[in-house]
Amino acid sequence: MNDMAIINVIAEPIQRNKIEFWAATTIYVFALFSLSVDNSPNESSFRHANVVYHYYEYFFWPQLVRFTVIYLAFLLLNFKVVPKLIRKETIWLNVLLVLAAFVAVGVVTGITDTYYKAYLLPRYDTVREFWNYTFQSSFQNTLRLLLVFGFYTFIKYFGLYLLSNSAAIQSRFRMVTQDLITAFMVWLVSVFILVLFDVGEEETVVWAFVSLSAILLYFFSFYELIPKSLGKKRPFGSYELKVLLILILSYLPAVFLLLPVLDNDEALGISFANALFQLVVTAPVTWFLYKRQLRGREEVVGLKKELGYSTANLDLLRSQINPHFLFNALNTLYGTALQENSERTAQGIQMLGDMMRFMLHENLQRTILLAREVEYLRNYIDLQLLRTSASPDIIIETKMEEVLEQKHIAPMLLIPFVENAFKHGISLQHKSWIRVSLHCDQNKLYFDVYNSIHKKSDQDPEKNKSGIGLKNVRQRLELLYPQKHELIIRETPEEFFVHLTLEL
């Protein structure tokens, strides 16, 4: 791990420090609370040694001072000293602080042990021998705690480094997610704190074993077992059966893992209890959380689809002129054209009015008949022919089949391609062509637009105007026909070609 990576990991420590602080403080408070509910666990040792026992003198105050000193030393080292050592700031001063914390904890716990373990005094010939034993044991335990703290620090910063590179790691190992790394770090912290406050070897082992098993089962179920069970007739039953098989196969290996710290009966019992807990609690909870997240993802996808559809429709609406004003203007122009015997102009105005009615009444629907979309395309092309038919250098070819079946399509999905062809493919000064074809085969639509390209002059007012544009069409296709369309666009300096295949 290089220096820059470490610095990046600790660049934003505030949130992490809060979590660590409150976790350590919570354990410290619970440790103090245990002093008031624990009914003098060392009293029997004093009685066997025939030493008069006083609860506060020989148990409460020594343990209170011990827990407090360890807690304060942890805060100092974890939040002040270690970050500066990693950043290589005032190294010698912070090394001295580590040694000072080690000596302080060793001395204070040694002093408290002379009270807490006073029942051992009769076993020694002199008080000095008892003190030597007590302080030697105290410094050995302090060294053990310091080593555990060093291990915890290494795991923590290594885990933070993994978190900062979780995306790259997950690209290679799908299950090694940021959540898994975080859960593993929390597990390490919890085990460290149990060891730090000397809760008990058996309790620490049970917690570490059961919680780690739950974490591993949760993530393995989330990314492997449950997704592969969803296609079954009884998905939950299939999932539980797989979990049961895994727990049966892992029962004996778990027993062997526990044997170094527990006897045979305890290892067998804890392994069985762990398997039962994972089957009855962890597996159903994981199933519930997975289904809940799945519903959440589906809702998010639906909302995104709705939002995208609304945005696309809004773009279409913004491209329209106020329809009431337009219809009034068209009616006026239509009457004027008839009065002046301009039949082609009147025909064009009538076609434009039909197109605007289509946009006003049918464009806002989710789907319309494909036949109506094709009719709109024909009207648009016929309207354009009114201005281009007089030019022999402009060729417009259409081959659009009649759609007899009740097939539906999203409105205004095809027209932008034709609009784009007329906008960029027609020039009154140069030879131009546009070819449009539409063909249906069962539930598939094949639509092609092929046109010439002419570079617009800098004085052309349409040069930098894009209208609705192909970008909007791409967005609508992704939202309305995911995995059900193929859009191929090819462009050369002289030609532009669009091919759309759509499942209706």
Side-chain angles (χ1 to χ4, degrees):
M1 192 187 309
N2 56 49
D3 294 342
M4 287 303 298
I6 296 175
I7 292 173
N8 289 335
V9 167
I10 62 176
E12 298 178 357
I14 297 176
Q15 189 63 30
R16 186 185 74 245
N17 287 350
K18 285 183 179 179
I19 295 173
E20 283 188 288
F21 173 78
W22 286 113
T25 303
T26 301
I27 297 298
Y28 171 66
V29 171
F30 273 104
L32 298 185
F33 178 74
S34 68
L35 297 180
S36 61
V37 297
D38 203 343
N39 190 18
S40 306
N42 59 343
E43 183 178 1
S44 59
S45 300
F46 279 84
R47 288 179 178 176
H48 284 98
N50 295 319
V51 178
V52 178
Y53 179 77
H54 299 288
Y55 170 75
Y56 287 100
E57 182 179 357
Y58 294 117
F59 175 73
F60 182 83
W61 292 116
Q63 292 296 82
L64 175 63
V65 172
R66 177 200 299 271
F67 290 158
T68 302
V69 169
I70 293 175
Y71 169 70
L72 295 176
F74 173 80
L75 296 183
L76 173 66
L77 296 179
N78 191 67
F79 298 119
K80 294 295 183 182
V81 176
V82 171
K84 289 185 177 181
L85 285 174
I86 291 177
R87 293 193 297 265
K88 298 180 180 180
E89 298 177 2
T90 58
I91 295 178
W92 288 111
L93 175 61
N94 287 288
V95 169
L96 289 175
L97 286 176
V98 173
L99 294 176
F102 171 75
V103 172
V105 173
V107 171
V108 172
T109 55
I111 294 173
T112 57
D113 277 350
T114 59
Y115 293 89
Y116 183 74
K117 298 179 180 180
Y119 60 88
L120 297 176
L121 183 59
R123 301 181 187 179
Y124 295 89
D125 296 332
T126 63
V127 174
R128 182 176 295 277
E129 290 181 1
F130 169 67
W131 283 357
N132 288 338
Y133 161 78
T134 302
F135 279 91
Q136 184 178 357
S137 299
S138 172
F139 276 98
Q140 288 176 351
N141 290 333
T142 304
L143 179 61
R144 180 174 64 88
L145 290 177
L146 187 61
L147 293 175
V148 171
F149 175 76
F151 176 73
Y152 161 77
T153 301
F154 170 77
I155 292 297
K156 181 180 72 173
Y157 283 99
F158 182 69
L160 292 171
Y161 173 76
L162 293 179
L163 285 176
S164 65
N165 295 274
S166 58
I169 296 172
Q170 191 176 3
S171 65
R172 297 186 61 184
F173 308 100
R174 189 166 63 93
M175 281 198 304
V176 184
T177 63
Q178 186 171 358
D179 291 338
L180 176 60
I181 297 172
T182 302
F184 184 66
M185 289 177 61
V186 172
W187 176 79
L188 281 174
V189 171
S190 66
V191 174
F192 164 75
I193 292 175
L194 291 176
V195 172
L196 186 67
F197 287 97
D198 197 18
V199 173
E201 186 178 82
E202 184 175 336
E203 290 81 358
T204 302
V205 169
V206 171
W207 164 255
F209 178 69
V210 174
S211 58
L212 182 60
S213 300
I215 291 172
L216 295 177
L217 177 61
Y218 174 85
F219 283 95
F220 186 63
S221 298
F222 222 80
Y223 291 96
E224 291 293 333
L225 298 182
I226 297 180
K228 292 181 179 179
S229 301
L230 292 178
K232 308 295 183 181
K233 291 184 178 179
R234 296 179 179 178
F236 181 71
S238 174
Y239 163 62
E240 281 280 75
L241 185 62
K242 293 176 182 177
V243 172
L244 178 61
L245 181 61
I246 291 173
L247 293 174
I248 291 174
L249 294 176
S250 61
Y251 177 74
L252 287 179
V255 171
F256 286 117
L257 287 175
L258 293 171
L259 282 177
V261 290
L262 302 174
D263 59 38
N264 292 343
D265 292 339
E266 289 177 334
L268 290 169
I270 290 174
S271 183
F272 177 77
N274 173 67
L276 187 63
F277 176 82
Q278 307 303 337
L279 182 66
V280 176
V281 178
T282 305
V285 169
T286 304
W287 175 270
F288 170 77
L289 293 176
Y290 183 89
K291 295 292 286 185
R292 183 176 179 181
Q293 187 181 94
L294 186 63
R295 287 194 298 270
R297 286 202 300 263
E298 291 173 350
E299 290 176 0
V300 170
V301 171
L303 290 172
K304 286 183 177 179
K305 186 174 181 180
E306 290 289 337
L307 180 61
Y309 185 82
S310 300
T311 303
N313 272 339
L314 181 60
D315 290 339
L316 286 171
L317 288 172
R318 285 174 176 169
S319 70
Q320 300 174 15
I321 304 172
N322 187 303
H324 301 291
F325 168 80
L326 181 61
F327 282 133
N328 291 334
L330 289 176
N331 287 334
T332 302
L333 293 173
Y334 181 72
T336 302
L338 290 177
Q339 290 175 359
E340 296 177 352
N341 295 321
S342 301
E343 294 183 1
R344 294 179 70 239
T345 303
Q347 182 185 1
I349 293 172
Q350 185 178 11
M351 285 189 291
L352 182 58
D354 292 339
M355 292 169 61
M356 290 305 303
R357 287 187 182 89
F358 171 86
M359 295 176 68
L360 179 63
H361 297 298
E362 299 184 59
N363 181 38
L364 298 181
Q365 300 178 27
R366 283 296 186 88
T367 60
I368 61 171
L369 288 173
L370 178 59
R372 290 289 293 146
E373 180 82 359
V374 174
E375 181 183 349
Y376 181 85
L377 278 174
R378 292 185 191 277
N379 281 336
Y380 181 82
I381 294 173
D382 289 343
L383 182 63
Q384 293 293 334
L385 284 172
L386 290 177
R387 75 179 179 94
T388 60
S389 58
S391 176
D393 291 332
I394 298 176
I395 301 173
I396 310 296
E397 296 179 358
T398 60
K399 187 179 180 182
M400 294 188 286
E401 297 180 354
E402 293 291 337
V403 182
L404 301 178
E405 299 180 20
Q406 296 289 310
K407 299 181 184 298
H408 288 77
I409 190 173
M412 297 293 291
L413 197 64
L414 305 179
I415 189 63
F417 298 112
V418 180
E419 284 183 338
N420 186 73
F422 275 97
K423 179 178 179 180
H424 300 285
I426 297 299
S427 172
L428 298 177
Q429 289 82 31
H430 303 89
K431 187 175 182 179
S432 308
W433 68 89
I434 295 176
R435 299 182 180 92
V436 180
S437 66
L438 185 146
H439 168 67
C440 283
D441 184 7
Q442 296 182 351
N443 288 327
K444 281 197 173 183
L445 169 72
Y446 301 94
F447 182 65
D448 295 313
V449 179
Y450 177 48
N451 61 272
S452 56
I453 296 179
H454 303 283
K455 186 177 181 181
K456 294 187 179 296
S457 64
D458 294 335
Q459 292 76 28
D460 194 327
E462 295 291 321
K463 177 178 175 62
N464 297 317
K465 295 184 179 179
S466 59
I468 298 171
L470 300 183
K471 181 179 179 181
N472 181 275
V473 185
R474 288 180 184 273
Q475 180 188 10
R476 297 183 73 208
L477 285 170
E478 290 293 335
L479 292 167
L480 301 176
Y481 297 94
Q483 309 299 323
K484 292 184 178 181
H485 76 278
E486 180 185 23
L487 178 62
I488 299 174
I489 298 178
R490 296 192 181 96
E491 182 178 3
T492 69
E494 293 82 23
E495 299 175 338
F496 192 84
F497 173 72
V498 175
H499 171 75
L500 174 65
T501 303
L502 195 66
E503 288 186 32
L504 298 174

